[in-house]
Amino acid sequence: HLAFDHSWLALCADGQRPDLLRFYRTQTCASVGRFQAIDRELRLAHCADRGIEVARRITGGGALYHDPRQMNFTLVLGDAKGSLESNLKAACAAIIAALSEFSLEAGFKFPNDVEIEGRKIASIFAVVEQGVLLLQGILLLDVDIRAMLEALRVPTEKLSPDGLSAARDRFATFSERCPDVPEQVLQQALEAQLAR
């Protein structure tokens, strides 16, 4: 998926592809931002032992653990306008507007997160290359905290029962807030808001 995004960006810059908004799921993997040192952010031996693919995004931001429980999207705009900061904020505003359709009160946390009651539910990452804006987003439908913390290079005390409990308190998921809303309905709301 990351290679697809980068390829589309380059082809869009050459006028060979239109703007794009797509939604997708990934197999279990871990990604790091453009400027991160992979071995400082991920437990590479653990990832290799568990068959967790490792990839580098061309967008910035921190290390992420991905699995099929998360909704991912890509937005490519061939005529990039505004700063990265303003585009991150606008994309977060679109997610906030979509979540409000389900009576969820979410807010923006600088520089690139959406939170509900101080708990992260979504993040956006961005880059501009050759005048083309690429936004990559991730929204937590559900989350496996232990698997996430085992793959990311975090202090081992976070893997204790207390550490796992504290980590769970840092994330919100759509499934816990809106268990009866089909994923397709959420995707349609996000698509409409992001298209704006």
Side-chain angles (χ1 to χ4, degrees):
H1 289 290
L2 297 179
F4 179 94
D5 289 350
H6 198 183
S7 176
W8 196 282
L9 183 155
L11 291 168
C12 186
D14 287 341
Q16 298 180 49
R17 293 288 186 275
D19 293 348
L20 172 71
L21 174 59
R22 72 183 186 101
F23 291 84
Y24 58 94
R25 295 283 190 97
T26 67
Q27 294 300 314
T28 301
C29 63
S31 71
V32 296
R34 182 177 200 142
F35 303 109
Q36 291 187 299
I38 291 178
D39 60 338
R40 291 184 189 163
E41 303 298 329
L42 303 177
R43 287 187 163 83
L44 294 175
H46 173 84
C47 290
D49 289 345
R50 301 291 192 287
I52 299 170
E53 284 190 65
V54 172
R56 179 179 298 283
R57 302 186 307 275
I58 65 167
T59 52
L64 294 173
Y65 173 81
H66 306 266
D67 68 25
R69 305 173 198 214
Q70 301 158 6
M71 179 181 289
N72 300 276
F73 66 85
T74 294
L75 179 61
V76 180
L77 298 174
D79 185 14
K81 294 178 181 158
S83 65
L84 276 184
E85 183 178 324
S86 67
N87 281 297
L88 288 168
K89 191 171 184 180
C92 287
I95 294 172
I96 291 165
L99 292 174
S100 73
E101 295 180 30
F102 307 100
S103 301
L104 296 176
E105 293 185 24
F108 172 67
K109 181 175 181 189
F110 180 85
N112 63 328
D113 290 333
V114 174
E115 294 184 336
I116 295 176
E117 297 171 355
R119 300 170 69 197
K120 184 192 298 190
I121 191 168
S123 294
I124 302 287
F125 306 93
V127 69
V128 173
E129 285 191 358
Q130 303 174 64
V132 177
L133 172 66
L134 168 64
L135 290 168
Q136 294 172 322
I138 182 170
L139 187 141
L140 300 177
L141 300 174
D142 204 347
V143 63
D144 183 337
I145 295 294
R146 174 173 282 284
M148 176 191 298
L149 295 182
E150 286 175 346
L152 303 180
R153 189 172 287 283
V154 296
T156 53
E157 60 267 18
K158 290 191 176 182
L159 296 172
S160 70
D162 288 344
L164 289 170
S165 178
R168 276 189 200 92
D169 290 341
R170 291 185 16 234
F171 296 96
T173 65
F174 190 77
S175 63
E176 75 182 353
R177 300 296 174 128
C178 299
D180 299 323
V181 176
E183 178 187 335
Q184 182 180 3
V185 174
L186 170 62
Q187 182 174 317
Q188 289 169 347
L190 285 167
E191 185 174 346
Q193 293 297 336
L194 288 164
R196 289 187 185 140

